[in-house]
Amino acid sequence: DLIKDTWTRPDGVLRTEDVDEKMKNVLSKRMMEIFKLIGSLSDRMSYKVYTVGGLVRDILMGLENMDVDIVVEGDGIQLGKRLAQRLGGKITIHRRFGTATVILEDGFRIDLATARSEYYEYPAALQTVEFASIKHDLYRRDFTINSMAIILNKKKFGQLVDFFGGERD
């Protein structure tokens, strides 16, 4: 199962909901196809993959948003390479942070990041990155409304994951 029962909110409840229909109502056919491709590639690589952040919030609110952030429990850079190859895009890699940006021919951007936690050794320092679970990755985000994720793997495609009550907020 993609979501472990041990990952629960402080009140003991992991909020999940199938938001596939909401995604179809808000996202373009192209974006849905890209998400399904990302899920398929991740399944073949045995990675868990999610779209996160403002896009999730806006899907729930029925608003259009083309800022695509993907978090990978696996290697975000390797997934980015495969995605760029399949879509004919270019890739920019930031190894230190485990991130990649795929830029398609029309300028559309997809940001991919390996799930991580981070800390700062001292004020104004660059963060030190440690690879982690989706729960830890979401925990480091600024607001609960930006700490939700939607699963893109085929088996649970479109399932909202909300550890911290972001949908309620």
Side-chain angles (χ1 to χ4, degrees), residues 26-62:
V26 173
L27 302 176
S28 68
K29 182 179 178 186
R30 175 187 185 210
M31 193 68 252
M32 288 296 289
E33 289 172 357
I34 289 172
F35 278 168
K36 290 190 183 220
L37 174 61
I38 291 169
S40 176
L41 292 172
S42 296
D43 287 341
R44 284 189 228 137
M45 299 170 83
S46 298
Y47 295 165
K48 297 174 188 173
V49 66
Y50 311 82
T51 188
V52 299
L55 179 62
V56 175
R57 174 200 64 223
D58 290 349
I59 288 169
L60 295 177
M61 295 176 65

Side-chain angles (χ1 to χ4, degrees), residues 71-88:
V71 171
V72 183
E73 285 185 341
D75 188 331
I77 292 172
Q78 288 304 313
L79 178 59
K81 287 178 181 179
R82 290 196 185 175
L83 184 62
Q85 184 179 38
R86 285 291 299 273
L87 295 175

Side-chain angles (χ1 to χ4, degrees), residues 69-103:
D69 292 309
I70 304 294
V71 171
V72 183
E73 285 185 341
D75 188 331
I77 292 172
Q78 288 304 313
L79 178 59
K81 287 178 181 179
R82 290 196 185 175
L83 184 62
Q85 184 179 38
R86 285 291 299 273
L87 295 175
K90 295 183 183 200
I91 187 166
T92 303
I93 295 170
H94 303 281
R95 290 198 191 286
R96 175 183 170 127
F97 303 111
T99 64
T101 300
V102 174
I103 303 171

Side-chain angles (χ1 to χ4, degrees), residues 60-149:
L60 295 177
M61 295 176 65
L63 303 172
E64 186 175 359
N65 181 337
M66 299 305 289
D67 183 18
V68 179
D69 292 309
I70 304 294
V71 171
V72 183
E73 285 185 341
D75 188 331
I77 292 172
Q78 288 304 313
L79 178 59
K81 287 178 181 179
R82 290 196 185 175
L83 184 62
Q85 184 179 38
R86 285 291 299 273
L87 295 175
K90 295 183 183 200
I91 187 166
T92 303
I93 295 170
H94 303 281
R95 290 198 191 286
R96 175 183 170 127
F97 303 111
T99 64
T101 300
V102 174
I103 303 171
L104 304 184
E105 204 170 273
D106 64 357
F108 184 74
R109 298 170 53 100
I110 302 166
D111 292 314
L112 298 104
T114 304
R116 67 186 192 257
S117 61
E118 54 192 42
Y119 63 91
Y120 298 83
E121 301 261 347
Y122 52 89
L126 283 176
Q127 68 265 42
T128 299
V129 173
E130 294 178 350
F131 299 117
S133 68
I134 187 66
K135 182 177 183 183
H136 287 103
D137 189 276
L138 295 173
Y139 181 75
R140 70 182 178 79
R141 295 178 183 270
D142 54 356
F143 299 103
T144 58
I145 59 170
N146 291 331
S147 67
M148 297 178 286

